[in-house]
Amino acid sequence: MAQLDDISGRQCGVVTRGQALQAGVRPETVRRHLRSGRWQRMIPGIYATFTGRPPPGAKRWAAVLHAGPGAMLCRRSAAEETGLAAPGRGAVHVLIPETRRIRPIVGIVAHRSRHAAARRDPLRSPPQTRVEETVLDLASTARTAPEGLHWIMAACVRRLTTPDRLARALSTRPRLPRRKAVAALLGIAADGRPAPLPLWPPLK
C-alpha cells in the first residue's frame, strides 16, 4: 500500500481504480474498503481514500482524473487552485484536448481546445492552465466589464502575473470571446489609472 499512499498523498487522497490495481491492491480489497466506508466512491472508478466529506481540492483532483489524459483544471477551478478565487460550490471546470470526449458527469464541465497542451502550466499540480490563460478565460466570460477587470487586477495585485504577460498570452488567443474588450481592460490595468471601461458585448 506504500505506493498507493504516495499516489493518494499527491492527489489529495483521491485515486483511480486503475492506480489502485497497479499499486498491487486486489479488486476484492477495493470492494472491501468501499463496503466498510474506509474508501468512498466520488465518481465511478475514482475513490476518496478517506472518510468524511471530500474537500474542494479532492473534488478538483477527481474531476481531472475522470477527464483523463491531457486534462487540466481551467477557469474558476484553476483560479481556486492558485488562490485567486475562494473555493466555491459550483461545477469543476476542466480543459481537454479537442480530439477527446469524456463521459458526462454531474458537477464537471468540460471545455475542449486544440491548444490545450500549450495552455497547461508546466509545474503546478493538479494539472491546470497557466495563470495567464486562467485570467483571460475568467475575464472574457465575466458578466460585466468591472468583473472582468477584477480578475485581471486581482491576479496582478497578488503578483501571480503582470499586464504584459497577460497581453502576450492574449496575442496567442485570436478567438478569445470579447477579445478587444479584454485588451482594453489590460490597457487600463497596465496604466494604473481610472479610465472608462469598454463596452461589454454579449457572449456569442
Side-chain angles (χ1 to χ4, degrees):
M1 291 287 287
Q3 182 181 351
L4 189 63
D5 288 343
D6 288 342
I7 295 172
S8 66
R10 294 193 298 270
Q11 299 177 172
C12 287
V14 179
V15 300
T16 67
R17 177 179 174 83
Q19 288 173 333
L21 298 180
Q22 290 175 10
V25 180
R26 292 176 172 274
E28 56 266 29
T29 302
V30 172
R31 291 192 291 269
R32 185 171 66 251
H33 286 336
L34 292 171
R35 286 196 303 268
S36 68
R38 182 180 177 185
W39 288 10
Q40 53 186 309
R41 184 178 287 104
M42 298 184 69
I43 296 172
I46 299 175
Y47 316 122
T49 60
F50 52 83
T51 59
R53 178 175 295 182
K59 293 179 180 179
R60 292 192 289 268
W61 258 113
V64 170
L65 292 171
H66 168 73
M72 68 201 77
L73 298 173
C74 66
R75 304 197 180 198
R76 186 180 178 92
S77 300
E80 291 177 8
E81 279 292 332
T82 62
L84 181 59
R89 295 185 178 181
V92 178
H93 291 259
V94 294
L95 179 66
I96 60 175
E98 187 179 49
T99 55
R100 293 197 52 242
R101 299 288 191 280
I102 66 172
R103 182 156 53 104
I105 293 287
V106 174
I108 298 176
V109 177
H111 307 268
R112 297 165 52 240
S113 171
R114 69 180 67 179
H115 305 293
R119 293 178 186 165
R120 177 175 173 174
D121 190 286
L123 300 176
R124 291 182 181 273
S125 180
Q128 58 197 265
T129 51
R130 297 173 185 267
V131 170
E132 291 75 24
E133 304 292 345
T134 301
V135 173
L136 291 178
D137 286 336
L138 290 171
S140 66
T141 57
R143 292 168 295 181
T144 64
E147 181 183 330
L149 183 60
H150 160 78
W151 289 116
I152 293 169
M153 295 301 297
C156 293
V157 167
R158 292 170 181 258
R159 297 186 179 180
L160 295 173
T161 187
T162 66
D164 284 345
R165 283 158 59 184
L166 287 167
R168 286 196 295 272
L170 182 63
S171 69
T172 69
R173 304 280 300 268
R175 296 185 179 181
L176 185 78
R178 297 172 172 148
R179 189 175 187 279
K180 290 184 179 179
V182 171
L185 293 181
L186 291 178
I188 294 172
D191 186 57
R193 291 181 293 181
L197 295 177
L199 293 176
W200 205 238
L203 288 174
K204 297 181 180 179

